[in-house]
Amino acid sequence: EVQLLESGGGLAQPGGSLRLSCAASGFTFSSFAMTWIRQAPGKGLEWVSAISGGGGSTYYADSVKGRFTISRDNSNNTLYLQLNSLRAEDTALYYCAKDGSVVGATLYWGQGTLVTVSS
Amino acid sequence: DIQMTQSPSSLSASVGDRVTITCRASQTINIHLNWYQQKPGKAPKLLIYVASSLQGGVPPRFSGSGSGTDFTLTISSLQPEDFATYYCQQSYTTPYTFGQGTMLEIK
């Protein structure tokens, strides 16, 4: 059974940093691309970033490019998202996610970790 | 980036109704279109992928169609558990953008 468990959320000040983690289990982690998707309170879904199975290719939404960095540790089955230069508009529930059988169709979701950016 | 526009933004319907939600892409995405259902406090659930393929375990009252830029999600006979928010998402090119959502409410 695929399990994704996020951690690392919390309160950060504008301009501050946080690192989110996602512990994955139930599949061969290094064989699959992974994704972060966020949802601001009461708002819709926003695709944030993705990384290939080997970690060599990364992709970002324009809204986070240059501020967020996605990475992975395949030896520990863990996905990361480094959030720098945080803004109030980054306040959201951040989901770690994995595709199903088709690339881009997100089948597996974690429970999310909440990031709040406020002074 | 590809913009995804859903309509309507909200919809009131009754149990047993047939409901259609539309999604339009700002450029062609072939059939790289997914539909999700989200209930309050829960992670989204994948319903349909590549425009018309039903995800395993999803009831057959859900169906998807379309290609190019115009897509639809149809629920043939609404059930009480279907009242939720629905999102389309293109997976043609990154960033894999979502529509703004359609909130389906009980009339």
Side-chain angles (χ1 to χ4, degrees), chain B residues 5-18:
Chain B
T5 304
Q6 287 179 236
S7 61
S9 296
S10 63
L11 175 60
S12 294
S14 301
V15 173
D17 284 353
R18 179 183 180 91

Side-chain angles (χ1 to χ4, degrees), chain A residues 30-79:
Chain A
S30 60
S31 296
F32 294 91
M34 296 294 294
T35 302
W36 289 98
I37 294 167
R38 70 183 179 182
Q39 187 168 34
K43 303 297 184 183
L45 301 169
E46 182 183 14
W47 186 96
V48 173
S49 183
I51 186 168
S52 60
S57 297
T58 57
Y59 311 88
Y60 297 94
D62 288 347
S63 59
V64 307
K65 202 173 295 183
R67 300 187 300 120
F68 291 7
T69 302
I70 192 170
S71 62
R72 63 192 299 158
D73 179 350
N74 285 344
S75 63
N76 286 306
N77 293 349
T78 303
L79 175 71

Side-chain angles (χ1 to χ4, degrees), chain A residues 39 44 47 62 104 106-107 109, chain B residues 1 34 36 38 44 87 89 96:
Chain A
Q39 187 168 34
W47 186 96
D62 288 347
T106 304
L107 181 58
W109 301 72
Chain B
D1 297 356
N34 310 307
Y36 300 86
Q38 188 178 32
Y87 294 93
Q89 180 206 27
Y96 291 156

Side-chain angles (χ1 to χ4, degrees), chain A residues 5-9 19-23 36 111-113:
Chain A
L5 184 62
E6 304 96 333
S7 60
R19 188 173 85 155
L20 308 183
S21 300
C22 172
W36 289 98
Q111 85 290 346
T113 187

Side-chain angles (χ1 to χ4, degrees), chain B residues 42-59:
Chain B
K42 301 293 187 182
K45 174 186 176 182
L46 178 65
L47 299 176
I48 304 279
Y49 59 95
V50 292
S52 61
S53 294
L54 195 67
Q55 176 61 34
V58 175

